[in-house]
Structure formats: C-alpha cells, structure tokens
Amino acid sequence: MEQDWDNLILLDSYRADYFTEYSSFKGNLSTRVSKGTWSLEFIVKNFQDKTLHDTVVVTSNPYYQRYSKLGQDTFHSIKYCEKTVGIESFKQVSQLAFEASEEFPNKRLIIHYMKPHTPHIGETSDKLRAKFGDVFPGMFMLYRSGVITKGTLEQSYVDTINMIEPEVQDLLDKLDGKSVVSSDHGENLGERYHGMTQTGHGSPTPECYRVPWLELEHETRRQVSEDSPEKISAVDEESIENNLRALGYK
C-alpha cells in the first residue's frame, strides 16, 4: 500500500518470469517480493488491521470475505463479483471496476482478478476438460499423475494469460490516473525442490514469492481523499463456498 499508484491491477497467480516473457502490457517493468505465497496470506499481511479509507476494492476473490478478518471499515468500499471462474467472471470484474472508477473518482482502486489462477481457460485446458468431462481433475492433478507433460501444463497457463490480458487492457484504456499491474503471488508449474514436485502456490518458493510490478505511462493523477467507509454487504455464504470449491480449495 506504500507504493505509488492510483489503480493496482492484481492478476492472481501471475508469476514474474512468465510475465516478463509472455505479457503484452507495456510500461516500466520490475519485480517485487510478495508478502504472501497465496491469496489469504497476501490479504492478511497487506490489509488486516489497517485503515484504508482512500481505497476501493473490486474483486472476485472469496478471501476478502472469508477468513481474512478484514473489518467493515478497512476499505472505503468493496465491490464483489460473486462469480469467480471463467472468462465471463473476468469480464464482470472489469465492468465493476470501470463503474467503481466513475462512482469513486477520488479513491485508489485495487482490482483483483482471479486469473491466471486455476481453473485454466483456453485451448489446452478446454481439450482436456472435454476429454474428462465432469470428472476433470484439473491441470495440476493431471500433471502430478503423469497424464500430461510439464510442457502441456505450462501451455495451459500461457493460454490463460493470452485469454485474460486483452480484457485487462480494455479496462486500462478506460482508467485515469497511474496504473500498476502486479499479482498477489506467483505459481509453481512443476519445479522440483528437495526432491519434491511443486505445483500451485502456498509454498515458500521463489516462483510463489516473486511477482511482476509494471508501472504504466500516465498523463494525469487521481486526486485521492479519505472518506468514511460504506457499509459492505456480506456475500452469500453458499456462494463463497462454491467459489472456493471451484478454485480448488475445497
């Protein structure tokens, strides 16, 4: 929160080296070490017990509403997209973020998308999902079971990146102020440490801790001010459970 930005775009599980190689975004690129190796740890260590009344969060990440113990007065407001997975959810977050930029022209925006976090989207994962149908176990399980290669897992991740970045660029083109594109944490894609294969996140590996930090060119800055927080409506508990399950946490 101490960094200089008006709009902070968080692309969940986007690791720094893949951002450097595959991202189409243009700007001043560096890297940072995240405070967390998964979303809940990132949220708790960055936002818990803080007063951020100059900031509005737009997200489909269930952990802003569950387990993080964020108070009602942590942020000025939270705009929550109840649908978590799929490209339609991604588009909904963009729409909510644009609406928030107009509704709160004097607030910083944290826009937390749930991709390239699994379940992956795009041609590679779609073919495997069609093959396995309702019993599709997910890309990480297929890799760990020897059904797919590391190259296939990596391509599925890159496919997801290629699907989501145009949607983010459309939003960036509409936002005023200084925008930064980053991530809450990275991802393991089959790296081996101490004889163990690592997939996903939540482990203390360089791939999980290192995240991109891309500062985009800007012509104007948002005039930010603090105001009393809005009452944040609780999200339906069943919706949260379903979203966590869809993300592979249940």
Side-chain angles (χ1 to χ4, degrees):
M1 293 302 295
E2 296 78 16
Q3 300 290 328
D4 183 30
W5 49 267
D6 298 317
N7 310 298
L8 178 60
I9 314 296
L10 295 173
L11 299 176
D12 203 293
S13 307
Y14 204 155
R15 52 190 271 180
D17 54 346
Y18 274 68
F19 192 98
T20 299
E21 184 169 357
Y22 295 104
S23 178
S24 60
F25 298 127
K26 304 299 182 184
N28 182 20
L29 177 61
S30 59
T31 63
R32 297 286 190 274
V33 176
S34 176
K35 293 182 178 180
T37 62
W38 65 302
S39 290
L40 181 58
E41 184 182 20
F42 170 87
I43 292 168
V44 168
K45 290 186 176 180
N46 281 284
F47 308 135
Q48 195 176 86
D49 299 323
K50 292 187 177 180
T51 300
L52 305 169
H53 294 172
D54 63 348
T55 303
V56 171
V57 173
V58 180
T59 185
S60 58
N61 189 309
Y63 285 119
Y64 285 87
Q65 294 279 348
R66 172 64 68 84
Y67 305 129
S68 60
K69 298 181 180 178
L70 297 180
Q72 280 280 329
D73 61 348
T74 299
F75 300 105
H76 177 70
S77 184
I78 297 180
K79 302 298 182 181
Y80 187 70
C81 175
E82 293 194 18
K83 185 176 176 59
T84 297
V85 301
I87 194 65
E88 287 307 314
S89 170
F90 210 84
K91 292 180 178 181
Q92 288 174 20
V93 171
S94 292
Q95 181 61 36
L96 286 173
F98 176 68
E99 292 172 359
S101 71
E102 296 196 313
E103 182 180 357
F104 306 103
N106 62 339
K107 297 290 179 284
R108 301 171 96 188
L109 296 179
I110 296 175
I111 304 163
H112 191 150
Y113 291 95
M114 282 309 299
K115 285 285 178 286
H117 190 292
T118 53
H120 293 164
I121 55 178
E123 182 178 359
T124 302
S125 60
D126 285 350
K127 286 181 178 179
L128 288 164
R129 195 172 286 109
K131 178 180 179 180
F132 288 95
D134 292 340
V135 296
F136 175 65
M139 299 303 297
F140 292 145
M141 184 62 70
L142 289 176
Y143 172 67
R144 297 180 73 91
S145 301
V147 177
I148 63 172
T149 65
K150 188 174 188 295
T152 300
L153 174 61
E154 293 170 333
Q155 186 59 54
S156 177
Y157 185 73
V158 173
D159 287 352
T160 308
I161 291 169
N162 292 336
M163 290 282 289
I164 64 175
E165 285 205 354
E167 297 294 331
V168 179
Q169 187 61 61
D170 284 347
L171 175 64
L172 289 170
D173 291 341
K174 299 174 184 176
L175 296 177
D176 65 333
K178 179 180 179 180
S179 295
V180 170
V181 180
S182 185
S183 182
D184 53 345
H185 56 79
E187 190 84 296
N188 284 118
L189 297 171
E191 291 77 23
R192 290 184 64 82
Y193 287 97
H194 309 296
M196 298 181 64
T197 299
Q198 300 287 337
T199 55
H201 41 268
S203 56
T205 63
E207 289 78 13
C208 284
Y209 273 120
R210 184 67 62 178
V211 295
W213 187 264
L214 182 75
E215 299 184 14
L216 279 69
E217 293 185 2
H218 56 282
E219 296 181 356
T220 61
R221 294 300 304 267
R222 192 169 300 144
Q223 298 298 313
V224 175
S225 63
E226 295 187 8
D227 294 289
S228 298
E230 295 187 338
K231 181 176 176 56
I232 299 170
S233 299
V235 177
D236 178 71
E237 286 293 314
E238 183 177 357
S239 175
I240 293 176
E241 291 291 340
N242 290 338
N243 284 335
L244 287 170
R245 191 175 298 111
L247 292 167
Y249 291 113
K250 291 288 184 177

mmCIF file of all heavy atoms in Angstrom, residues 153-188:
data_model
loop_
_atom_site.group_PDB
_atom_site.id
_atom_site.type_symbol
_atom_site.label_atom_id
_atom_site.label_comp_id
_atom_site.label_asym_id
_atom_site.label_seq_id
_atom_site.Cartn_x
_atom_site.Cartn_y
_atom_site.Cartn_z
ATOM 1 N N LEU A 153 1.224 -28.442 -19.176
ATOM 2 C CA LEU A 153 0.810 -27.624 -18.032
ATOM 3 C C LEU A 153 1.196 -26.165 -18.252
ATOM 4 O O LEU A 153 0.390 -25.249 -18.035
ATOM 5 C CB LEU A 153 1.455 -28.153 -16.756
ATOM 6 C CG LEU A 153 1.231 -27.327 -15.489
ATOM 7 C CD1 LEU A 153 -0.248 -27.244 -15.141
ATOM 8 C CD2 LEU A 153 2.032 -27.914 -14.318
ATOM 9 N N GLU A 154 2.428 -25.954 -18.688
ATOM 10 C CA GLU A 154 2.891 -24.591 -18.926
ATOM 11 C C GLU A 154 2.092 -23.923 -20.039
ATOM 12 O O GLU A 154 1.753 -22.734 -19.944
ATOM 13 C CB GLU A 154 4.382 -24.613 -19.268
ATOM 14 C CG GLU A 154 5.258 -25.033 -18.104
ATOM 15 C CD GLU A 154 6.698 -25.276 -18.521
ATOM 16 O OE1 GLU A 154 6.931 -25.626 -19.699
ATOM 17 O OE2 GLU A 154 7.592 -25.135 -17.671
ATOM 18 N N GLN A 155 1.758 -24.666 -21.098
ATOM 19 C CA GLN A 155 0.989 -24.086 -22.198
ATOM 20 C C GLN A 155 -0.414 -23.708 -21.755
ATOM 21 O O GLN A 155 -0.962 -22.687 -22.171
ATOM 22 C CB GLN A 155 0.909 -25.063 -23.365
ATOM 23 C CG GLN A 155 0.239 -24.483 -24.607
ATOM 24 C CD GLN A 155 0.957 -23.254 -25.120
ATOM 25 O OE1 GLN A 155 2.171 -23.300 -25.371
ATOM 26 N NE2 GLN A 155 0.236 -22.138 -25.284
ATOM 27 N N SER A 156 -1.001 -24.515 -20.876
ATOM 28 C CA SER A 156 -2.323 -24.197 -20.335
ATOM 29 C C SER A 156 -2.284 -22.886 -19.562
ATOM 30 O O SER A 156 -3.212 -22.069 -19.663
ATOM 31 C CB SER A 156 -2.783 -25.338 -19.427
ATOM 32 O OG SER A 156 -4.015 -25.053 -18.829
ATOM 33 N N TYR A 157 -1.229 -22.677 -18.812
ATOM 34 C CA TYR A 157 -1.040 -21.432 -18.052
ATOM 35 C C TYR A 157 -0.878 -20.246 -19.009
ATOM 36 O O TYR A 157 -1.508 -19.197 -18.817
ATOM 37 C CB TYR A 157 0.191 -21.601 -17.173
ATOM 38 C CG TYR A 157 0.508 -20.482 -16.220
ATOM 39 C CD1 TYR A 157 -0.243 -20.263 -15.072
ATOM 40 C CD2 TYR A 157 1.605 -19.654 -16.440
ATOM 41 C CE1 TYR A 157 0.076 -19.257 -14.173
ATOM 42 C CE2 TYR A 157 1.934 -18.641 -15.553
ATOM 43 C CZ TYR A 157 1.171 -18.448 -14.420
ATOM 44 O OH TYR A 157 1.492 -17.436 -13.532
ATOM 45 N N VAL A 158 -0.073 -20.418 -20.047
ATOM 46 C CA VAL A 158 0.138 -19.349 -21.029
ATOM 47 C C VAL A 158 -1.155 -19.058 -21.799
ATOM 48 O O VAL A 158 -1.470 -17.895 -22.079
ATOM 49 C CB VAL A 158 1.287 -19.716 -21.987
ATOM 50 C CG1 VAL A 158 1.397 -18.686 -23.115
ATOM 51 C CG2 VAL A 158 2.606 -19.805 -21.231
ATOM 52 N N ASP A 159 -1.906 -20.109 -22.142
ATOM 53 C CA ASP A 159 -3.209 -19.897 -22.800
ATOM 54 C C ASP A 159 -4.089 -18.976 -21.965
ATOM 55 O O ASP A 159 -4.774 -18.087 -22.501
ATOM 56 C CB ASP A 159 -3.943 -21.232 -22.975
ATOM 57 C CG ASP A 159 -3.359 -22.108 -24.060
ATOM 58 O OD1 ASP A 159 -2.474 -21.635 -24.800
ATOM 59 O OD2 ASP A 159 -3.787 -23.272 -24.166
ATOM 60 N N THR A 160 -4.096 -19.207 -20.661
ATOM 61 C CA THR A 160 -4.915 -18.392 -19.764
ATOM 62 C C THR A 160 -4.453 -16.946 -19.776
ATOM 63 O O THR A 160 -5.270 -16.014 -19.827
ATOM 64 C CB THR A 160 -4.870 -18.962 -18.337
ATOM 65 O OG1 THR A 160 -5.203 -20.352 -18.369
ATOM 66 C CG2 THR A 160 -5.828 -18.228 -17.414
ATOM 67 N N ILE A 161 -3.150 -16.742 -19.740
ATOM 68 C CA ILE A 161 -2.595 -15.392 -19.831
ATOM 69 C C ILE A 161 -3.071 -14.701 -21.108
ATOM 70 O O ILE A 161 -3.514 -13.545 -21.089
ATOM 71 C CB ILE A 161 -1.053 -15.446 -19.791
ATOM 72 C CG1 ILE A 161 -0.570 -15.873 -18.405
ATOM 73 C CG2 ILE A 161 -0.443 -14.103 -20.203
ATOM 74 C CD1 ILE A 161 0.905 -16.196 -18.346
ATOM 75 N N ASN A 162 -2.997 -15.433 -22.223
ATOM 76 C CA ASN A 162 -3.387 -14.845 -23.503
ATOM 77 C C ASN A 162 -4.878 -14.531 -23.571
ATOM 78 O O ASN A 162 -5.291 -13.619 -24.297
ATOM 79 C CB ASN A 162 -3.007 -15.787 -24.645
ATOM 80 C CG ASN A 162 -1.500 -15.907 -24.823
ATOM 81 O OD1 ASN A 162 -0.739 -15.011 -24.440
ATOM 82 N ND2 ASN A 162 -1.059 -17.015 -25.384
ATOM 83 N N MET A 163 -5.681 -15.273 -22.821
ATOM 84 C CA MET A 163 -7.119 -15.022 -22.799
ATOM 85 C C MET A 163 -7.471 -13.781 -21.989
ATOM 86 O O MET A 163 -8.371 -13.023 -22.357
ATOM 87 C CB MET A 163 -7.840 -16.236 -22.207
ATOM 88 C CG MET A 163 -7.837 -17.471 -23.091
ATOM 89 S SD MET A 163 -9.035 -17.390 -24.439
ATOM 90 C CE MET A 163 -10.578 -17.560 -23.541
ATOM 91 N N ILE A 164 -6.754 -13.562 -20.886
ATOM 92 C CA ILE A 164 -7.176 -12.524 -19.958
ATOM 93 C C ILE A 164 -6.581 -11.152 -20.249
ATOM 94 O O ILE A 164 -7.209 -10.133 -19.969
ATOM 95 C CB ILE A 164 -6.856 -12.915 -18.501
ATOM 96 C CG1 ILE A 164 -5.348 -13.040 -18.281
ATOM 97 C CG2 ILE A 164 -7.590 -14.194 -18.125
ATOM 98 C CD1 ILE A 164 -4.929 -13.308 -16.839
ATOM 99 N N GLU A 165 -5.382 -11.115 -20.810
ATOM 100 C CA GLU A 165 -4.719 -9.814 -20.948
ATOM 101 C C GLU A 165 -5.483 -8.822 -21.814
ATOM 102 O O GLU A 165 -5.525 -7.628 -21.489
ATOM 103 C CB GLU A 165 -3.277 -9.997 -21.426
ATOM 104 C CG GLU A 165 -2.360 -10.501 -20.325
ATOM 105 C CD GLU A 165 -0.902 -10.136 -20.551
ATOM 106 O OE1 GLU A 165 -0.587 -9.583 -21.630
ATOM 107 O OE2 GLU A 165 -0.094 -10.383 -19.638
ATOM 108 N N PRO A 166 -6.106 -9.229 -22.942
ATOM 109 C CA PRO A 166 -6.889 -8.247 -23.705
ATOM 110 C C PRO A 166 -8.028 -7.638 -22.900
ATOM 111 O O PRO A 166 -8.339 -6.447 -23.062
ATOM 112 C CB PRO A 166 -7.408 -9.068 -24.890
ATOM 113 C CG PRO A 166 -6.428 -10.174 -25.052
ATOM 114 C CD PRO A 166 -6.007 -10.523 -23.662
ATOM 115 N N GLU A 167 -8.629 -8.433 -22.016
ATOM 116 C CA GLU A 167 -9.702 -7.907 -21.173
ATOM 117 C C GLU A 167 -9.168 -6.854 -20.213
ATOM 118 O O GLU A 167 -9.815 -5.819 -19.976
ATOM 119 C CB GLU A 167 -10.360 -9.043 -20.391
ATOM 120 C CG GLU A 167 -11.042 -10.088 -21.243
ATOM 121 C CD GLU A 167 -12.230 -9.537 -21.992
ATOM 122 O OE1 GLU A 167 -12.865 -8.590 -21.493
ATOM 123 O OE2 GLU A 167 -12.537 -10.052 -23.083
ATOM 124 N N VAL A 168 -8.005 -7.102 -19.647
ATOM 125 C CA VAL A 168 -7.397 -6.133 -18.733
ATOM 126 C C VAL A 168 -6.993 -4.868 -19.479
ATOM 127 O O VAL A 168 -7.182 -3.753 -18.988
ATOM 128 C CB VAL A 168 -6.172 -6.749 -18.022
ATOM 129 C CG1 VAL A 168 -5.525 -5.735 -17.087
ATOM 130 C CG2 VAL A 168 -6.576 -7.994 -17.244
ATOM 131 N N GLN A 169 -6.445 -5.045 -20.688
ATOM 132 C CA GLN A 169 -6.032 -3.878 -21.464
ATOM 133 C C GLN A 169 -7.215 -2.982 -21.788
ATOM 134 O O GLN A 169 -7.095 -1.747 -21.754
ATOM 135 C CB GLN A 169 -5.354 -4.328 -22.760
ATOM 136 C CG GLN A 169 -4.732 -3.182 -23.556
ATOM 137 C CD GLN A 169 -3.650 -2.474 -22.782
ATOM 138 O OE1 GLN A 169 -2.646 -3.075 -22.408
ATOM 139 N NE2 GLN A 169 -3.829 -1.170 -22.530
ATOM 140 N N ASP A 170 -8.365 -3.591 -22.080
ATOM 141 C CA ASP A 170 -9.567 -2.795 -22.347
ATOM 142 C C ASP A 170 -9.911 -1.917 -21.141
ATOM 143 O O ASP A 170 -10.289 -0.752 -21.290
ATOM 144 C CB ASP A 170 -10.749 -3.712 -22.665
ATOM 145 C CG ASP A 170 -10.674 -4.299 -24.061
ATOM 146 O OD1 ASP A 170 -9.860 -3.811 -24.868
ATOM 147 O OD2 ASP A 170 -11.426 -5.252 -24.343
ATOM 148 N N LEU A 171 -9.785 -2.474 -19.950
ATOM 149 C CA LEU A 171 -10.063 -1.679 -18.745
ATOM 150 C C LEU A 171 -9.017 -0.600 -18.550
ATOM 151 O O LEU A 171 -9.353 0.559 -18.259
ATOM 152 C CB LEU A 171 -10.119 -2.583 -17.518
ATOM 153 C CG LEU A 171 -10.284 -1.847 -16.186
ATOM 154 C CD1 LEU A 171 -11.624 -1.121 -16.128
ATOM 155 C CD2 LEU A 171 -10.130 -2.810 -15.010
ATOM 156 N N LEU A 172 -7.747 -0.960 -18.707
ATOM 157 C CA LEU A 172 -6.672 0.018 -18.507
ATOM 158 C C LEU A 172 -6.838 1.226 -19.418
ATOM 159 O O LEU A 172 -6.542 2.357 -19.029
ATOM 160 C CB LEU A 172 -5.313 -0.645 -18.749
ATOM 161 C CG LEU A 172 -4.856 -1.653 -17.695
ATOM 162 C CD1 LEU A 172 -3.620 -2.411 -18.184
ATOM 163 C CD2 LEU A 172 -4.558 -0.960 -16.373
ATOM 164 N N ASP A 173 -7.320 0.993 -20.627
ATOM 165 C CA ASP A 173 -7.521 2.083 -21.574
ATOM 166 C C ASP A 173 -8.590 3.069 -21.105
ATOM 167 O O ASP A 173 -8.632 4.215 -21.560
ATOM 168 C CB ASP A 173 -7.914 1.527 -22.947
ATOM 169 C CG ASP A 173 -6.768 0.784 -23.626
ATOM 170 O OD1 ASP A 173 -5.611 0.987 -23.237
ATOM 171 O OD2 ASP A 173 -7.059 -0.022 -24.534
ATOM 172 N N LYS A 174 -9.458 2.631 -20.176
ATOM 173 C CA LYS A 174 -10.562 3.468 -19.712
ATOM 174 C C LYS A 174 -10.263 4.167 -18.387
ATOM 175 O O LYS A 174 -10.979 5.102 -18.006
ATOM 176 C CB LYS A 174 -11.818 2.613 -19.542
ATOM 177 C CG LYS A 174 -12.309 1.949 -20.811
ATOM 178 C CD LYS A 174 -13.463 1.002 -20.513
ATOM 179 C CE LYS A 174 -13.917 0.244 -21.749
ATOM 180 N NZ LYS A 174 -14.970 -0.751 -21.430
ATOM 181 N N LEU A 175 -9.240 3.726 -17.672
ATOM 182 C CA LEU A 175 -8.975 4.265 -16.338
ATOM 183 C C LEU A 175 -8.080 5.494 -16.390
ATOM 184 O O LEU A 175 -7.138 5.548 -17.187
ATOM 185 C CB LEU A 175 -8.306 3.199 -15.462
ATOM 186 C CG LEU A 175 -9.111 1.948 -15.143
ATOM 187 C CD1 LEU A 175 -8.262 0.980 -14.320
ATOM 188 C CD2 LEU A 175 -10.399 2.293 -14.405
ATOM 189 N N ASP A 176 -8.373 6.457 -15.532
ATOM 190 C CA ASP A 176 -7.474 7.600 -15.399
ATOM 191 C C ASP A 176 -6.493 7.320 -14.265
ATOM 192 O O ASP A 176 -6.634 6.365 -13.503
ATOM 193 C CB ASP A 176 -8.259 8.873 -15.122
ATOM 194 C CG ASP A 176 -8.973 8.828 -13.779
ATOM 195 O OD1 ASP A 176 -9.286 7.718 -13.308
ATOM 196 O OD2 ASP A 176 -9.218 9.888 -13.185
ATOM 197 N N GLY A 177 -5.471 8.160 -14.166
ATOM 198 C CA GLY A 177 -4.502 8.009 -13.095
ATOM 199 C C GLY A 177 -3.389 7.031 -13.442
ATOM 200 O O GLY A 177 -3.296 6.514 -14.555
ATOM 201 N N LYS A 178 -2.548 6.778 -12.454
ATOM 202 C CA LYS A 178 -1.403 5.885 -12.620
ATOM 203 C C LYS A 178 -1.804 4.453 -12.301
ATOM 204 O O LYS A 178 -2.234 4.153 -11.194
ATOM 205 C CB LYS A 178 -0.250 6.309 -11.711
ATOM 206 C CG LYS A 178 0.976 5.397 -11.820
ATOM 207 C CD LYS A 178 2.092 5.848 -10.907
ATOM 208 C CE LYS A 178 3.288 4.914 -11.012
ATOM 209 N NZ LYS A 178 4.406 5.334 -10.128
ATOM 210 N N SER A 179 -1.639 3.560 -13.278
ATOM 211 C CA SER A 179 -1.985 2.150 -13.098
ATOM 212 C C SER A 179 -0.732 1.297 -12.982
ATOM 213 O O SER A 179 0.267 1.530 -13.678
ATOM 214 C CB SER A 179 -2.831 1.647 -14.274
ATOM 215 O OG SER A 179 -4.081 2.309 -14.329
ATOM 216 N N VAL A 180 -0.804 0.307 -12.109
ATOM 217 C CA VAL A 180 0.252 -0.685 -11.928
ATOM 218 C C VAL A 180 -0.370 -2.065 -12.082
ATOM 219 O O VAL A 180 -1.447 -2.339 -11.533
ATOM 220 C CB VAL A 180 0.924 -0.560 -10.551
ATOM 221 C CG1 VAL A 180 1.850 -1.742 -10.282
ATOM 222 C CG2 VAL A 180 1.696 0.747 -10.448
ATOM 223 N N VAL A 181 0.295 -2.948 -12.829
ATOM 224 C CA VAL A 181 -0.145 -4.329 -12.974
ATOM 225 C C VAL A 181 0.805 -5.216 -12.185
ATOM 226 O O VAL A 181 2.026 -5.158 -12.373
ATOM 227 C CB VAL A 181 -0.182 -4.764 -14.451
ATOM 228 C CG1 VAL A 181 -0.644 -6.218 -14.560
ATOM 229 C CG2 VAL A 181 -1.084 -3.855 -15.262
ATOM 230 N N SER A 182 0.245 -6.034 -11.305
ATOM 231 C CA SER A 182 1.064 -6.895 -10.461
ATOM 232 C C SER A 182 0.282 -8.169 -10.150
ATOM 233 O O SER A 182 -0.661 -8.527 -10.856
ATOM 234 C CB SER A 182 1.464 -6.144 -9.175
ATOM 235 O OG SER A 182 2.359 -6.915 -8.392
ATOM 236 N N SER A 183 0.683 -8.865 -9.103
ATOM 237 C CA SER A 183 -0.002 -10.080 -8.673
ATOM 238 C C SER A 183 0.092 -10.198 -7.163
ATOM 239 O O SER A 183 0.960 -9.581 -6.533
ATOM 240 C CB SER A 183 0.629 -11.315 -9.329
ATOM 241 O OG SER A 183 -0.070 -12.490 -8.947
ATOM 242 N N ASP A 184 -0.811 -10.990 -6.583
ATOM 243 C CA ASP A 184 -0.724 -11.231 -5.141
ATOM 244 C C ASP A 184 0.354 -12.249 -4.815
ATOM 245 O O ASP A 184 0.991 -12.189 -3.774
ATOM 246 C CB ASP A 184 -2.083 -11.679 -4.575
ATOM 247 C CG ASP A 184 -2.689 -12.859 -5.307
ATOM 248 O OD1 ASP A 184 -2.236 -13.179 -6.426
ATOM 249 O OD2 ASP A 184 -3.645 -13.456 -4.774
ATOM 250 N N HIS A 185 0.585 -13.195 -5.735
ATOM 251 C CA HIS A 185 1.614 -14.217 -5.556
ATOM 252 C C HIS A 185 1.846 -14.880 -6.902
ATOM 253 O O HIS A 185 1.113 -14.654 -7.863
ATOM 254 C CB HIS A 185 1.188 -15.263 -4.520
ATOM 255 C CG HIS A 185 -0.120 -15.930 -4.843
ATOM 256 N ND1 HIS A 185 -0.229 -16.947 -5.768
ATOM 257 C CD2 HIS A 185 -1.373 -15.704 -4.392
ATOM 258 C CE1 HIS A 185 -1.484 -17.325 -5.863
ATOM 259 N NE2 HIS A 185 -2.216 -16.577 -5.053
ATOM 260 N N GLY A 186 2.864 -15.712 -6.970
ATOM 261 C CA GLY A 186 3.160 -16.445 -8.195
ATOM 262 C C GLY A 186 2.565 -17.835 -8.194
ATOM 263 O O GLY A 186 1.558 -18.105 -7.531
ATOM 264 N N GLU A 187 3.229 -18.742 -8.912
ATOM 265 C CA GLU A 187 2.692 -20.088 -9.113
ATOM 266 C C GLU A 187 3.830 -21.062 -9.387
ATOM 267 O O GLU A 187 4.809 -20.703 -10.041
ATOM 268 C CB GLU A 187 1.743 -20.079 -10.312
ATOM 269 C CG GLU A 187 0.930 -21.333 -10.498
ATOM 270 C CD GLU A 187 -0.331 -21.320 -9.652
ATOM 271 O OE1 GLU A 187 -0.200 -21.317 -8.403
ATOM 272 O OE2 GLU A 187 -1.439 -21.314 -10.221
ATOM 273 N N ASN A 188 3.709 -22.275 -8.892
ATOM 274 C CA ASN A 188 4.645 -23.340 -9.257
ATOM 275 C C ASN A 188 4.055 -24.167 -10.389
ATOM 276 O O ASN A 188 2.887 -24.554 -10.352
ATOM 277 C CB ASN A 188 4.943 -24.250 -8.068
ATOM 278 C CG ASN A 188 5.894 -23.607 -7.081
ATOM 279 O OD1 ASN A 188 5.546 -23.370 -5.926
ATOM 280 N ND2 ASN A 188 7.105 -23.318 -7.525
#
